[in-house]
Short mmCIF file of all heavy atoms in Angstrom, two decimals:
data_model
loop_
_atom_site.label_atom_id
_atom_site.label_comp_id
_atom_site.label_asym_id
_atom_site.label_seq_id
_atom_site.Cartn_x
_atom_site.Cartn_y
_atom_site.Cartn_z
N MET X 1 -36.09 12.03 -47.16
CA MET X 1 -34.63 12.02 -47.10
C MET X 1 -34.10 13.42 -46.90
O MET X 1 -34.50 14.37 -47.55
CB MET X 1 -34.07 11.43 -48.40
CG MET X 1 -32.57 11.43 -48.48
SD MET X 1 -31.98 11.05 -50.15
CE MET X 1 -31.50 12.69 -50.69
N PHE X 2 -33.20 13.58 -45.98
CA PHE X 2 -32.50 14.83 -45.77
C PHE X 2 -31.07 14.69 -46.27
O PHE X 2 -30.53 13.60 -46.25
CB PHE X 2 -32.46 15.22 -44.29
CG PHE X 2 -33.81 15.58 -43.75
CD1 PHE X 2 -34.62 14.61 -43.21
CD2 PHE X 2 -34.24 16.90 -43.79
CE1 PHE X 2 -35.86 14.95 -42.69
CE2 PHE X 2 -35.48 17.23 -43.28
CZ PHE X 2 -36.29 16.25 -42.74
N TYR X 3 -30.52 15.78 -46.71
CA TYR X 3 -29.12 15.71 -47.13
C TYR X 3 -28.44 17.04 -46.91
O TYR X 3 -29.09 18.07 -46.77
CB TYR X 3 -29.00 15.26 -48.59
CG TYR X 3 -29.69 16.17 -49.58
CD1 TYR X 3 -28.99 17.23 -50.17
CD2 TYR X 3 -31.01 15.98 -49.92
CE1 TYR X 3 -29.61 18.06 -51.08
CE2 TYR X 3 -31.65 16.82 -50.82
CZ TYR X 3 -30.95 17.86 -51.40
OH TYR X 3 -31.57 18.69 -52.29
N VAL X 4 -27.12 16.97 -46.89
CA VAL X 4 -26.30 18.17 -46.78
C VAL X 4 -25.80 18.51 -48.17
O VAL X 4 -25.34 17.63 -48.90
CB VAL X 4 -25.08 17.91 -45.85
CG1 VAL X 4 -24.15 19.11 -45.86
CG2 VAL X 4 -25.56 17.61 -44.44
N ARG X 5 -25.92 19.77 -48.56
CA ARG X 5 -25.41 20.18 -49.85
C ARG X 5 -24.30 21.20 -49.62
O ARG X 5 -24.48 22.18 -48.92
CB ARG X 5 -26.53 20.80 -50.69
CG ARG X 5 -26.07 21.15 -52.09
CD ARG X 5 -27.21 21.52 -52.98
NE ARG X 5 -27.94 22.67 -52.46
CZ ARG X 5 -29.14 23.05 -52.88
NH1 ARG X 5 -29.75 22.36 -53.79
NH2 ARG X 5 -29.72 24.10 -52.36
N GLU X 6 -23.17 20.93 -50.22
CA GLU X 6 -22.02 21.82 -50.03
C GLU X 6 -21.42 22.12 -51.39
O GLU X 6 -21.17 21.22 -52.19
CB GLU X 6 -20.98 21.12 -49.14
CG GLU X 6 -19.78 21.96 -48.80
CD GLU X 6 -20.11 23.13 -47.87
OE1 GLU X 6 -20.84 22.92 -46.91
OE2 GLU X 6 -19.63 24.24 -48.14
N LYS X 7 -21.24 23.41 -51.65
CA LYS X 7 -20.63 23.81 -52.91
C LYS X 7 -19.12 23.80 -52.76
O LYS X 7 -18.57 24.42 -51.84
CB LYS X 7 -21.10 25.22 -53.27
CG LYS X 7 -21.58 25.36 -54.69
CD LYS X 7 -22.06 26.77 -54.95
CE LYS X 7 -22.25 26.95 -56.46
NZ LYS X 7 -22.61 28.32 -56.81
N ILE X 8 -18.43 23.09 -53.59
CA ILE X 8 -16.98 23.04 -53.54
C ILE X 8 -16.40 24.20 -54.34
O ILE X 8 -15.49 24.88 -53.92
CB ILE X 8 -16.46 21.68 -54.05
CG1 ILE X 8 -16.93 20.57 -53.11
CG2 ILE X 8 -14.93 21.70 -54.17
CD1 ILE X 8 -16.61 19.18 -53.58
N ASN X 9 -16.94 24.42 -55.54
CA ASN X 9 -16.62 25.62 -56.30
C ASN X 9 -17.81 25.94 -57.18
O ASN X 9 -18.89 25.41 -56.96
CB ASN X 9 -15.31 25.43 -57.12
CG ASN X 9 -15.40 24.24 -58.06
OD1 ASN X 9 -16.45 23.99 -58.68
ND2 ASN X 9 -14.33 23.48 -58.16
N ASP X 10 -17.66 26.80 -58.17
CA ASP X 10 -18.82 27.25 -58.96
C ASP X 10 -19.48 26.13 -59.74
O ASP X 10 -20.65 26.20 -60.08
CB ASP X 10 -18.39 28.35 -59.93
CG ASP X 10 -18.22 29.69 -59.21
OD1 ASP X 10 -18.71 29.78 -58.06
OD2 ASP X 10 -17.61 30.59 -59.76
N THR X 11 -18.72 25.09 -60.06
CA THR X 11 -19.30 24.05 -60.91
C THR X 11 -19.49 22.72 -60.19
O THR X 11 -20.21 21.86 -60.67
CB THR X 11 -18.40 23.79 -62.15
OG1 THR X 11 -17.07 23.54 -61.71
CG2 THR X 11 -18.40 24.99 -63.08
N VAL X 12 -18.81 22.57 -59.07
CA VAL X 12 -18.87 21.28 -58.39
C VAL X 12 -19.45 21.42 -56.99
O VAL X 12 -19.10 22.30 -56.23
CB VAL X 12 -17.45 20.64 -58.27
CG1 VAL X 12 -17.53 19.29 -57.58
CG2 VAL X 12 -16.83 20.50 -59.64
N GLY X 13 -20.38 20.53 -56.68
CA GLY X 13 -20.94 20.50 -55.35
C GLY X 13 -21.18 19.06 -54.96
O GLY X 13 -21.14 18.16 -55.80
N ILE X 14 -21.37 18.83 -53.69
CA ILE X 14 -21.65 17.47 -53.25
C ILE X 14 -22.93 17.47 -52.42
O ILE X 14 -23.28 18.45 -51.80
CB ILE X 14 -20.51 16.87 -52.40
CG1 ILE X 14 -20.19 17.77 -51.19
CG2 ILE X 14 -19.27 16.63 -53.23
CD1 ILE X 14 -19.29 17.12 -50.17
N THR X 15 -23.62 16.36 -52.46
CA THR X 15 -24.72 16.17 -51.53
C THR X 15 -24.44 14.89 -50.76
O THR X 15 -23.96 13.90 -51.31
CB THR X 15 -26.08 16.04 -52.26
OG1 THR X 15 -26.03 14.91 -53.13
CG2 THR X 15 -26.40 17.29 -53.05
N VAL X 16 -24.69 14.95 -49.50
CA VAL X 16 -24.49 13.78 -48.64
C VAL X 16 -25.77 13.53 -47.86
O VAL X 16 -26.27 14.40 -47.17
CB VAL X 16 -23.33 14.02 -47.63
CG1 VAL X 16 -23.15 12.79 -46.74
CG2 VAL X 16 -22.05 14.35 -48.37
N GLU X 17 -26.32 12.36 -48.05
CA GLU X 17 -27.53 12.02 -47.32
C GLU X 17 -27.27 11.95 -45.83
O GLU X 17 -26.24 11.45 -45.40
CB GLU X 17 -28.05 10.65 -47.78
CG GLU X 17 -28.74 10.68 -49.12
CD GLU X 17 -29.33 9.32 -49.46
OE1 GLU X 17 -29.92 8.68 -48.59
OE2 GLU X 17 -29.18 8.92 -50.64
N ILE X 18 -28.22 12.46 -45.07
CA ILE X 18 -28.12 12.37 -43.61
C ILE X 18 -28.90 11.15 -43.15
O ILE X 18 -30.09 11.03 -43.42
CB ILE X 18 -28.67 13.64 -42.94
CG1 ILE X 18 -27.83 14.85 -43.33
CG2 ILE X 18 -28.69 13.46 -41.42
CD1 ILE X 18 -28.39 16.14 -42.79
N HIS X 19 -28.20 10.28 -42.49
CA HIS X 19 -28.87 9.12 -41.90
C HIS X 19 -28.67 9.19 -40.39
O HIS X 19 -27.96 10.06 -39.89
CB HIS X 19 -28.26 7.81 -42.45
CG HIS X 19 -28.47 7.67 -43.93
ND1 HIS X 19 -29.68 7.42 -44.51
CD2 HIS X 19 -27.58 7.78 -44.95
CE1 HIS X 19 -29.55 7.36 -45.81
NE2 HIS X 19 -28.29 7.58 -46.12
N ASP X 20 -29.27 8.25 -39.69
CA ASP X 20 -29.11 8.31 -38.24
C ASP X 20 -27.75 7.80 -37.79
O ASP X 20 -27.47 7.74 -36.60
CB ASP X 20 -30.25 7.58 -37.52
CG ASP X 20 -30.34 6.13 -37.92
OD1 ASP X 20 -29.46 5.66 -38.69
OD2 ASP X 20 -31.28 5.45 -37.47
N ASP X 21 -26.91 7.40 -38.74
CA ASP X 21 -25.60 6.87 -38.33
C ASP X 21 -24.44 7.63 -38.96
O ASP X 21 -23.32 7.17 -38.90
CB ASP X 21 -25.51 5.37 -38.64
CG ASP X 21 -25.62 5.10 -40.14
OD1 ASP X 21 -25.91 6.05 -40.89
OD2 ASP X 21 -25.43 3.95 -40.53
N ASN X 22 -24.71 8.78 -39.59
CA ASN X 22 -23.58 9.48 -40.21
C ASN X 22 -23.54 10.96 -39.82
O ASN X 22 -23.03 11.78 -40.57
CB ASN X 22 -23.57 9.30 -41.73
CG ASN X 22 -24.69 10.06 -42.43
OD1 ASN X 22 -25.61 10.53 -41.79
ND2 ASN X 22 -24.59 10.18 -43.73
N VAL X 23 -24.08 11.26 -38.66
CA VAL X 23 -24.02 12.63 -38.16
C VAL X 23 -23.11 12.63 -36.92
O VAL X 23 -23.32 11.84 -36.00
CB VAL X 23 -25.41 13.17 -37.79
CG1 VAL X 23 -25.32 14.59 -37.26
CG2 VAL X 23 -26.32 13.11 -39.00
N PHE X 24 -22.12 13.50 -36.95
CA PHE X 24 -21.14 13.51 -35.86
C PHE X 24 -20.91 14.93 -35.38
O PHE X 24 -21.16 15.89 -36.10
CB PHE X 24 -19.80 12.94 -36.34
CG PHE X 24 -19.87 11.51 -36.78
CD1 PHE X 24 -20.19 11.20 -38.10
CD2 PHE X 24 -19.62 10.48 -35.89
CE1 PHE X 24 -20.26 9.87 -38.51
CE2 PHE X 24 -19.70 9.16 -36.30
CZ PHE X 24 -20.01 8.85 -37.61
N CYS X 25 -20.40 15.04 -34.17
CA CYS X 25 -19.87 16.33 -33.72
C CYS X 25 -18.60 16.05 -32.95
O CYS X 25 -18.27 14.90 -32.67
CB CYS X 25 -20.89 17.10 -32.87
SG CYS X 25 -20.98 16.57 -31.17
N THR X 26 -17.91 17.14 -32.60
CA THR X 26 -16.68 17.00 -31.84
C THR X 26 -16.98 17.23 -30.37
O THR X 26 -17.60 18.23 -30.02
CB THR X 26 -15.64 18.03 -32.32
OG1 THR X 26 -15.46 17.85 -33.72
CG2 THR X 26 -14.32 17.83 -31.61
N CYS X 27 -16.56 16.32 -29.53
CA CYS X 27 -16.75 16.46 -28.09
C CYS X 27 -16.00 17.70 -27.61
O CYS X 27 -14.81 17.82 -27.84
CB CYS X 27 -16.23 15.23 -27.37
SG CYS X 27 -16.21 15.42 -25.57
N PRO X 28 -16.72 18.64 -26.95
CA PRO X 28 -16.06 19.84 -26.46
C PRO X 28 -15.10 19.57 -25.30
O PRO X 28 -14.29 20.43 -24.94
CB PRO X 28 -17.21 20.76 -26.03
CG PRO X 28 -18.37 19.85 -25.84
CD PRO X 28 -18.17 18.65 -26.69
N GLY X 29 -15.21 18.37 -24.72
CA GLY X 29 -14.35 18.04 -23.60
C GLY X 29 -12.99 17.54 -24.03
O GLY X 29 -11.96 18.05 -23.61
N CYS X 30 -12.98 16.57 -24.93
CA CYS X 30 -11.69 15.94 -25.29
C CYS X 30 -11.43 16.02 -26.79
O CYS X 30 -10.35 15.64 -27.23
CB CYS X 30 -11.67 14.50 -24.83
SG CYS X 30 -12.84 13.44 -25.68
N GLY X 31 -12.38 16.49 -27.56
CA GLY X 31 -12.15 16.67 -28.99
C GLY X 31 -12.35 15.43 -29.83
O GLY X 31 -12.09 15.45 -31.04
N CYS X 32 -12.82 14.34 -29.21
CA CYS X 32 -13.02 13.14 -30.00
C CYS X 32 -14.34 13.23 -30.76
O CYS X 32 -15.15 14.12 -30.55
CB CYS X 32 -13.01 11.91 -29.10
SG CYS X 32 -14.49 11.69 -28.13
N GLU X 33 -14.52 12.33 -31.69
CA GLU X 33 -15.71 12.33 -32.52
C GLU X 33 -16.86 11.63 -31.80
O GLU X 33 -16.69 10.54 -31.28
CB GLU X 33 -15.38 11.60 -33.83
CG GLU X 33 -16.46 11.69 -34.89
CD GLU X 33 -16.02 10.99 -36.16
OE1 GLU X 33 -16.11 9.76 -36.24
OE2 GLU X 33 -15.57 11.68 -37.09
N VAL X 34 -18.00 12.30 -31.79
CA VAL X 34 -19.18 11.72 -31.12
C VAL X 34 -20.28 11.56 -32.15
O VAL X 34 -20.61 12.49 -32.87
CB VAL X 34 -19.68 12.64 -29.99
CG1 VAL X 34 -20.79 11.94 -29.20
CG2 VAL X 34 -18.55 13.07 -29.08
N ARG X 35 -20.86 10.37 -32.20
CA ARG X 35 -21.97 10.16 -33.12
C ARG X 35 -23.23 10.75 -32.52
O ARG X 35 -23.51 10.56 -31.34
CB ARG X 35 -22.15 8.65 -33.40
CG ARG X 35 -23.08 8.42 -34.59
CD ARG X 35 -22.87 7.03 -35.17
NE ARG X 35 -23.37 5.96 -34.29
CZ ARG X 35 -24.65 5.61 -34.25
NH1 ARG X 35 -25.54 6.19 -35.01
NH2 ARG X 35 -25.02 4.64 -33.44
N ILE X 36 -23.98 11.46 -33.34
CA ILE X 36 -25.17 12.17 -32.88
C ILE X 36 -26.42 11.50 -33.43
O ILE X 36 -26.49 11.19 -34.61
CB ILE X 36 -25.15 13.63 -33.37
CG1 ILE X 36 -23.90 14.34 -32.89
CG2 ILE X 36 -26.40 14.36 -32.92
CD1 ILE X 36 -23.75 14.36 -31.41
N ASP X 37 -27.38 11.32 -32.57
CA ASP X 37 -28.70 10.89 -33.01
C ASP X 37 -29.57 12.13 -33.09
O ASP X 37 -29.99 12.68 -32.08
CB ASP X 37 -29.28 9.88 -32.00
CG ASP X 37 -30.61 9.33 -32.50
OD1 ASP X 37 -31.27 10.00 -33.32
OD2 ASP X 37 -30.99 8.25 -32.03
N LEU X 38 -29.76 12.64 -34.32
CA LEU X 38 -30.48 13.91 -34.48
C LEU X 38 -31.88 13.83 -33.93
O LEU X 38 -32.39 14.79 -33.35
CB LEU X 38 -30.53 14.30 -35.97
CG LEU X 38 -29.25 14.87 -36.56
CD1 LEU X 38 -29.45 15.15 -38.04
CD2 LEU X 38 -28.82 16.12 -35.84
N ALA X 39 -32.53 12.69 -34.09
CA ALA X 39 -33.90 12.54 -33.59
C ALA X 39 -33.92 12.74 -32.09
O ALA X 39 -34.79 13.41 -31.53
CB ALA X 39 -34.44 11.16 -33.95
N GLU X 40 -32.90 12.20 -31.43
CA GLU X 40 -32.82 12.32 -29.98
C GLU X 40 -32.47 13.77 -29.59
O GLU X 40 -33.04 14.32 -28.66
CB GLU X 40 -31.72 11.37 -29.47
CG GLU X 40 -31.72 11.14 -27.98
CD GLU X 40 -30.64 10.16 -27.60
OE1 GLU X 40 -30.72 8.98 -28.03
OE2 GLU X 40 -29.72 10.55 -26.87
N LEU X 41 -31.56 14.36 -30.36
CA LEU X 41 -31.12 15.72 -30.07
C LEU X 41 -32.28 16.71 -30.16
O LEU X 41 -32.40 17.61 -29.35
CB LEU X 41 -30.00 16.11 -31.06
CG LEU X 41 -29.38 17.49 -30.88
CD1 LEU X 41 -28.70 17.59 -29.52
CD2 LEU X 41 -28.37 17.74 -31.98
N PHE X 42 -33.15 16.53 -31.17
CA PHE X 42 -34.24 17.47 -31.37
C PHE X 42 -35.52 17.02 -30.69
O PHE X 42 -36.54 17.68 -30.80
CB PHE X 42 -34.47 17.69 -32.87
CG PHE X 42 -33.37 18.47 -33.51
CD1 PHE X 42 -32.41 17.83 -34.27
CD2 PHE X 42 -33.28 19.84 -33.34
CE1 PHE X 42 -31.37 18.55 -34.85
CE2 PHE X 42 -32.27 20.56 -33.90
CZ PHE X 42 -31.31 19.92 -34.66
N ASN X 43 -35.45 15.92 -30.00
CA ASN X 43 -36.63 15.33 -29.39
C ASN X 43 -37.27 16.28 -28.37
O ASN X 43 -38.49 16.31 -28.23
CB ASN X 43 -36.23 14.01 -28.70
CG ASN X 43 -37.44 13.13 -28.48
OD1 ASN X 43 -38.45 13.28 -29.15
ND2 ASN X 43 -37.33 12.20 -27.56
N ASP X 44 -36.45 17.06 -27.67
CA ASP X 44 -36.98 17.94 -26.63
C ASP X 44 -37.49 19.26 -27.19
O ASP X 44 -37.94 20.12 -26.45
CB ASP X 44 -35.93 18.18 -25.54
CG ASP X 44 -34.69 18.87 -26.10
OD1 ASP X 44 -34.66 19.19 -27.30
OD2 ASP X 44 -33.75 19.10 -25.33
N GLY X 45 -37.40 19.43 -28.50
CA GLY X 45 -37.91 20.64 -29.13
C GLY X 45 -37.00 21.85 -28.96
O GLY X 45 -37.32 22.94 -29.38
N GLU X 46 -35.85 21.65 -28.33
CA GLU X 46 -34.93 22.77 -28.12
C GLU X 46 -33.60 22.55 -28.82
O GLU X 46 -32.63 23.23 -28.53
CB GLU X 46 -34.70 22.96 -26.62
CG GLU X 46 -35.95 23.40 -25.88
CD GLU X 46 -35.72 23.50 -24.38
OE1 GLU X 46 -34.60 23.23 -23.94
OE2 GLU X 46 -36.68 23.85 -23.68
N GLY X 47 -33.56 21.59 -29.70
CA GLY X 47 -32.33 21.31 -30.41
C GLY X 47 -31.84 22.52 -31.19
O GLY X 47 -32.63 23.25 -31.78
N ASP X 48 -30.56 22.72 -31.18
CA ASP X 48 -29.97 23.88 -31.82
C ASP X 48 -28.59 23.47 -32.33
O ASP X 48 -27.69 23.17 -31.56
CB ASP X 48 -29.86 25.00 -30.77
CG ASP X 48 -29.07 26.19 -31.28
OD1 ASP X 48 -28.61 26.17 -32.44
OD2 ASP X 48 -28.93 27.14 -30.51
N LEU X 49 -28.44 23.44 -33.65
CA LEU X 49 -27.20 22.93 -34.22
C LEU X 49 -25.99 23.76 -33.82
O LEU X 49 -24.87 23.29 -33.81
CB LEU X 49 -27.30 22.87 -35.75
CG LEU X 49 -28.19 21.76 -36.31
CD1 LEU X 49 -28.20 21.86 -37.84
CD2 LEU X 49 -27.67 20.40 -35.89
N TYR X 50 -26.19 25.03 -33.48
CA TYR X 50 -25.07 25.87 -33.12
C TYR X 50 -24.84 25.88 -31.61
O TYR X 50 -23.71 25.92 -31.15
CB TYR X 50 -25.29 27.30 -33.62
CG TYR X 50 -25.28 27.38 -35.11
CD1 TYR X 50 -26.46 27.42 -35.82
CD2 TYR X 50 -24.07 27.38 -35.81
CE1 TYR X 50 -26.45 27.47 -37.21
CE2 TYR X 50 -24.04 27.41 -37.19
CZ TYR X 50 -25.24 27.46 -37.89
OH TYR X 50 -25.24 27.49 -39.25
N GLY X 51 -25.92 25.85 -30.85
CA GLY X 51 -25.78 26.02 -29.41
C GLY X 51 -25.69 24.71 -28.65
O GLY X 51 -25.53 24.71 -27.44
N THR X 52 -25.80 23.59 -29.35
CA THR X 52 -25.80 22.32 -28.66
C THR X 52 -24.43 21.67 -28.74
O THR X 52 -23.86 21.53 -29.82
CB THR X 52 -26.84 21.36 -29.28
OG1 THR X 52 -28.11 21.99 -29.24
CG2 THR X 52 -26.89 20.05 -28.50
N ALA X 53 -23.89 21.31 -27.59
CA ALA X 53 -22.63 20.58 -27.56
C ALA X 53 -22.92 19.21 -26.99
O ALA X 53 -23.65 19.07 -26.02
CB ALA X 53 -21.61 21.30 -26.69
N VAL X 54 -22.38 18.20 -27.63
CA VAL X 54 -22.62 16.84 -27.16
C VAL X 54 -21.30 16.23 -26.72
O VAL X 54 -20.35 16.16 -27.50
CB VAL X 54 -23.26 15.97 -28.25
CG1 VAL X 54 -23.47 14.56 -27.75
CG2 VAL X 54 -24.58 16.59 -28.70
N TYR X 55 -21.25 15.87 -25.45
CA TYR X 55 -20.04 15.27 -24.91
C TYR X 55 -20.02 13.78 -25.19
O TYR X 55 -21.06 13.12 -25.27
CB TYR X 55 -19.95 15.51 -23.40
CG TYR X 55 -19.65 16.94 -23.04
CD1 TYR X 55 -20.66 17.87 -22.94
CD2 TYR X 55 -18.33 17.34 -22.81
CE1 TYR X 55 -20.37 19.20 -22.62
CE2 TYR X 55 -18.04 18.65 -22.48
CZ TYR X 55 -19.06 19.57 -22.40
OH TYR X 55 -18.77 20.88 -22.08
N CYS X 56 -18.82 13.22 -25.33
CA CYS X 56 -18.69 11.80 -25.52
C CYS X 56 -19.05 11.10 -24.21
O CYS X 56 -19.14 11.73 -23.15
CB CYS X 56 -17.25 11.46 -25.94
SG CYS X 56 -16.04 11.68 -24.63
N PRO X 57 -19.29 9.79 -24.24
CA PRO X 57 -19.71 9.07 -23.02
C PRO X 57 -18.74 9.27 -21.85
O PRO X 57 -19.16 9.44 -20.71
CB PRO X 57 -19.74 7.61 -23.47
CG PRO X 57 -20.01 7.69 -24.94
CD PRO X 57 -19.30 8.92 -25.41
N GLU X 58 -17.43 9.28 -22.13
CA GLU X 58 -16.46 9.42 -21.06
C GLU X 58 -16.57 10.79 -20.40
O GLU X 58 -16.60 10.92 -19.18
CB GLU X 58 -15.03 9.20 -21.57
CG GLU X 58 -14.68 7.75 -21.88
CD GLU X 58 -15.31 7.30 -23.19
OE1 GLU X 58 -15.44 8.14 -24.10
OE2 GLU X 58 -15.69 6.13 -23.30
N CYS X 59 -16.63 11.85 -21.24
CA CYS X 59 -16.72 13.20 -20.69
C CYS X 59 -18.06 13.42 -20.00
O CYS X 59 -18.12 14.08 -18.98
CB CYS X 59 -16.52 14.23 -21.80
SG CYS X 59 -14.83 14.30 -22.42
N SER X 60 -19.14 12.85 -20.56
CA SER X 60 -20.46 12.97 -19.92
C SER X 60 -20.39 12.42 -18.52
O SER X 60 -20.89 13.01 -17.56
CB SER X 60 -21.52 12.22 -20.71
OG SER X 60 -21.62 12.72 -22.02
N ARG X 61 -19.74 11.24 -18.40
CA ARG X 61 -19.68 10.58 -17.11
C ARG X 61 -18.86 11.41 -16.13
O ARG X 61 -19.26 11.65 -14.99
CB ARG X 61 -19.07 9.18 -17.26
CG ARG X 61 -19.35 8.29 -16.06
CD ARG X 61 -18.75 6.90 -16.25
NE ARG X 61 -18.95 6.35 -17.57
CZ ARG X 61 -17.98 5.95 -18.38
NH1 ARG X 61 -16.73 6.04 -18.00
NH2 ARG X 61 -18.25 5.45 -19.56
N SER X 62 -17.70 11.89 -16.57
CA SER X 62 -16.84 12.64 -15.63
C SER X 62 -17.50 13.97 -15.27
O SER X 62 -17.33 14.46 -14.16
CB SER X 62 -15.45 12.84 -16.21
OG SER X 62 -15.51 13.50 -17.45
N ARG X 63 -18.27 14.56 -16.19
CA ARG X 63 -18.98 15.80 -15.86
C ARG X 63 -20.06 15.54 -14.82
O ARG X 63 -20.24 16.31 -13.89
CB ARG X 63 -19.61 16.41 -17.11
CG ARG X 63 -18.62 17.18 -17.97
CD ARG X 63 -19.22 17.54 -19.29
NE ARG X 63 -20.40 18.39 -19.17
CZ ARG X 63 -20.35 19.71 -19.03
NH1 ARG X 63 -19.19 20.33 -18.98
NH2 ARG X 63 -21.46 20.42 -18.95
N LEU X 64 -20.77 14.43 -15.00
CA LEU X 64 -21.80 14.07 -14.03
C LEU X 64 -21.19 13.85 -12.65
O LEU X 64 -21.70 14.32 -11.64
CB LEU X 64 -22.54 12.80 -14.48
CG LEU X 64 -23.63 13.01 -15.53
CD1 LEU X 64 -24.19 11.67 -15.98
CD2 LEU X 64 -24.76 13.88 -14.98
N GLU X 65 -20.08 13.14 -12.65
CA GLU X 65 -19.45 12.83 -11.37
C GLU X 65 -18.89 14.10 -10.74
O GLU X 65 -18.90 14.29 -9.53
CB GLU X 65 -18.35 11.78 -11.56
CG GLU X 65 -18.92 10.39 -11.80
CD GLU X 65 -17.88 9.41 -12.34
OE1 GLU X 65 -16.72 9.82 -12.50
OE2 GLU X 65 -18.26 8.26 -12.59
N GLY X 66 -18.37 15.01 -11.60
CA GLY X 66 -17.81 16.25 -11.10
C GLY X 66 -18.86 17.15 -10.47
O GLY X 66 -18.57 17.92 -9.58
N ASN X 67 -20.10 17.05 -10.97
CA ASN X 67 -21.17 17.91 -10.44
C ASN X 67 -21.78 17.36 -9.17
O ASN X 67 -22.62 17.99 -8.56
CB ASN X 67 -22.27 18.09 -11.51
CG ASN X 67 -21.77 18.92 -12.67
OD1 ASN X 67 -20.81 19.67 -12.54
ND2 ASN X 67 -22.42 18.79 -13.81
N ARG X 68 -21.38 16.16 -8.83
CA ARG X 68 -22.01 15.54 -7.67
C ARG X 68 -21.49 16.12 -6.36
O ARG X 68 -20.39 16.65 -6.32
CB ARG X 68 -21.75 14.03 -7.70
CG ARG X 68 -22.98 13.24 -7.24
CD ARG X 68 -22.70 11.75 -7.40
NE ARG X 68 -23.10 11.27 -8.73
CZ ARG X 68 -22.59 10.15 -9.28
NH1 ARG X 68 -21.69 9.46 -8.69
NH2 ARG X 68 -23.01 9.76 -10.45
ZN1 LIG V 1 -14.96 13.71 -24.65
#
């Protein structure tokens, strides 16, 4: 089990279990919430929580079409 631990103040902290359905990021294209599959993200061995941006399906599609 993996979890996120965040200190709220000196006495209170929270831990949140990471599952394959509760990891999200913000789409850099439109700002909407995108669900992330961490296993898929790190599958290529180059996953980087800071350097990786994941576009939502709509933005992914328009980016693909724009590059054509
Ligand atoms: Zn988007």
Side-chain angles (χ1 to χ4, degrees):
M1 177 192 104
F2 291 90
Y3 60 92
V4 174
R5 185 170 59 194
E6 183 69 44
K7 228 178 168 185
I8 295 174
N9 58 39
D10 283 345
T11 54
V12 180
I14 56 168
T15 60
V16 180
E17 283 185 42
I18 296 176
H19 298 288
D20 58 5
D21 62 353
N22 71 347
V23 180
F24 298 88
C25 80
T26 304
C27 171
C30 67
C32 75
E33 188 178 80
V34 187
R35 193 159 71 82
I36 302 301
D37 184 337
L38 284 179
E40 193 178 298
L41 182 62
F42 289 103
N43 200 22
D44 61 2
E46 294 177 0
D48 172 0
L49 287 179
Y50 293 100
T52 304
V54 179
Y55 288 85
C56 70
E58 286 76 33
C59 290
S60 300
R61 197 180 316 123
S62 57
R63 280 170 61 83
L64 279 175
E65 286 166 1
N67 291 339
R68 219 175 270 158

